[in-house]
Amino acid sequence: MSLIFSRQCEYALQAVTYLALKPEGEMTSIKELAKKLGIPYHFLGKILQDLSYKGLLASQKGPTGGFRLAMPAKDITLFHVVEAVDGVGFTKNCVLGFPECSGQNPCAVHEKWAGLRDGIYSMLVSKNIAQVAREMRKPEYV
Amino acid sequence: MSLIFSRQCEYALQAVTYLALKPEGEMTSIKELAKKLGIPYHFLGKILQDLSYKGLLASQKGPTGGFRLAMPAKDITLFHVVEAVDGVGFTKNCVLGFPECSGQNPCAVHEKWAGLRDGIYSMLVSKNIAQVAREMRKPEYV
DNA sequence: TCATATTCAGAGTTCTTTATCCTAAATTAG
DNA sequence: CTAATTTAGGATAAAGAACTCTGAATATGA
Ligand code: FES
Ligand code: FES
């Protein structure tokens, strides 16, 4: 079981932050990304394709081709990626799965969850991916 | 996509807290639970069966049969249910999906996530399900 | 120019989760 | 004892997520 984000979304987040480390405009192949990040090659291809379709990445075919961010890294947050891949359900839904989540008929943990949800949101938007990428202390990001 | 807990786990949490409202020892049928909580009947049956197997619930067949908590509601927390159904992965895994999550090679949001993860854990253990059930402001719980 | 190697694009497949169905076994009430 | 009710449990179907295979586009260099 994946936690809050789907596997696809996790891979997307890893890949996009990896791209943020590259000089602006430089193309990076699926091969390099898949190898460095340990993500299944073809699956990653489909994910990046999807991110291109949604306007977050730009792609180019052929040798020397690959993917790059469609806009400056400082203008992208992790939230943009989550929004594009998983949607914004986690900002609206009841953590216990009840059909409605509002102050009207709150479940027992509604208040507590509201705070945590805000925390998650702020974790995703408080830094742009250029900063995020630099703060990664992961061997994958070398 | 469900958020942090699987659908199955959400249903389990709703059902167990519902049972916590009943007088200790009283049996409640799948029928009543499914109807009140709006959970698919047969699916809920499997979930409750599983919770019985894991020792959280006790069951009895025949008319007047049903399910009840296997121990006093004050001794059960939401975490017990999550643990039984989804496991404790969320307390250990990297929120960005990296294979390792530790202070050794932290991802960019590791610290922030550590705090949120603790918050989620405390949300699940700070009250027993008797309290949780009483605090539900849900029409389902009547 | 054109063959070839490289890379993305998109359809297709497998696996897991969710949900349904059906029959058997246990238990109660009459 | 019989009929009604309820859980137990296997089998199956539908939906969604995860992953794979094949083909189209493109740059390079012979
Ligand atoms: S109603 Fe449950 S989190 Fe809002
Ligand atoms: S390494 Fe990412 S949350 Fe710990």
Side-chain angles (χ1 to χ4, degrees):
Chain A
M1 178 218 172
S2 65
L3 59 143
I4 55 185
F5 310 125
S6 69
R7 203 84 197 213
Q8 184 174 353
C9 188
E10 292 176 348
Y11 290 159
L13 289 164
Q14 295 179 20
V16 168
T17 50
Y18 186 91
L19 289 176
L21 283 178
K22 298 277 174 171
E24 194 168 324
E26 182 173 321
M27 288 290 178
T28 307
S29 67
I30 303 176
K31 190 156 89 180
E32 176 180 342
L33 285 159
K35 192 168 188 177
K36 280 290 180 68
L37 299 172
I39 300 174
Y41 180 89
H42 294 93
F43 189 27
L44 180 58
K46 187 196 160 294
I47 293 169
L48 299 181
Q49 180 185 340
D50 190 50
L51 289 174
S52 301
Y53 176 76
K54 293 192 172 135
L56 265 151
L57 301 181
S59 68
Q60 183 165 11
K61 290 183 180 177
T64 77
F67 291 87
R68 63 173 173 80
L69 300 175
M71 57 197 88
K74 55 191 299 190
D75 296 339
I76 306 178
T77 65
L78 295 176
F79 186 73
H80 288 123
V81 180
V82 172
E83 196 177 17
V85 180
D86 277 355
V88 295
F90 82 90
T91 64
K92 298 177 186 169
N93 298 342
C94 171
V95 72
L96 298 186
F98 287 101
E100 296 294 327
C101 176
S102 78
Q104 295 291 352
N105 295 99
C107 75
V109 298
H110 179 81
E111 291 303 324
K112 186 102 186 182
W113 174 245
L116 292 166
R117 155 201 284 163
D118 287 352
I120 295 172
Y121 179 76
S122 103
M123 175 179 80
L124 298 176
V125 298
S126 59
K127 299 169 195 162
N128 64 55
I129 61 167
Q131 298 172 278
V132 169
R134 280 194 301 272
E135 290 175 16
M136 290 281 187
R137 294 287 172 273
K138 289 286 178 188
E140 293 91 325
Y141 284 67
V142 179
Chain B
M1 178 217 171
S2 64
L3 62 146
I4 54 185
F5 309 124
S6 69
R7 209 71 194 247
Q8 186 175 352
C9 188
E10 291 177 347
Y11 290 160
L13 289 164
Q14 294 178 22
V16 168
T17 49
Y18 187 91
L19 289 177
L21 283 178
K22 298 277 176 169
E24 193 169 325
E26 182 173 319
M27 289 290 178
T28 307
S29 68
I30 303 176
K31 192 158 90 180
E32 176 181 342
L33 285 159
K35 192 168 189 177
K36 280 290 180 67
L37 299 171
I39 300 174
Y41 180 90
H42 294 93
F43 191 28
L44 181 58
K46 291 250 172 286
I47 295 169
L48 298 181
Q49 183 183 337
D50 189 51
L51 289 174
S52 301
Y53 176 76
K54 291 186 174 142
L56 268 151
L57 301 181
S59 68
Q60 184 167 11
K61 291 181 179 176
T64 78
F67 292 86
R68 63 174 174 81
L69 301 175
M71 56 198 89
K74 54 191 301 190
D75 296 339
I76 306 177
T77 65
L78 296 176
F79 186 74
H80 287 123
V81 179
V82 171
E83 196 177 18
V85 180
D86 277 354
V88 295
F90 82 89
T91 63
K92 300 177 186 169
N93 299 341
C94 171
V95 71
L96 299 184
F98 287 103
E100 294 295 325
C101 175
S102 77
Q104 295 291 351
N105 295 100
C107 75
V109 298
H110 179 82
E111 290 305 324
K112 186 102 185 178
W113 174 245
L116 291 166
R117 156 201 283 162
D118 287 351
I120 296 172
Y121 179 76
S122 102
M123 174 179 81
L124 297 176
V125 298
S126 60
K127 297 170 197 162
N128 63 58
I129 60 168
Q131 298 171 279
V132 169
R134 278 194 300 271
E135 290 173 15
M136 291 281 188
R137 293 289 173 271
K138 291 284 180 189
E140 293 92 325
Y141 283 67
V142 179

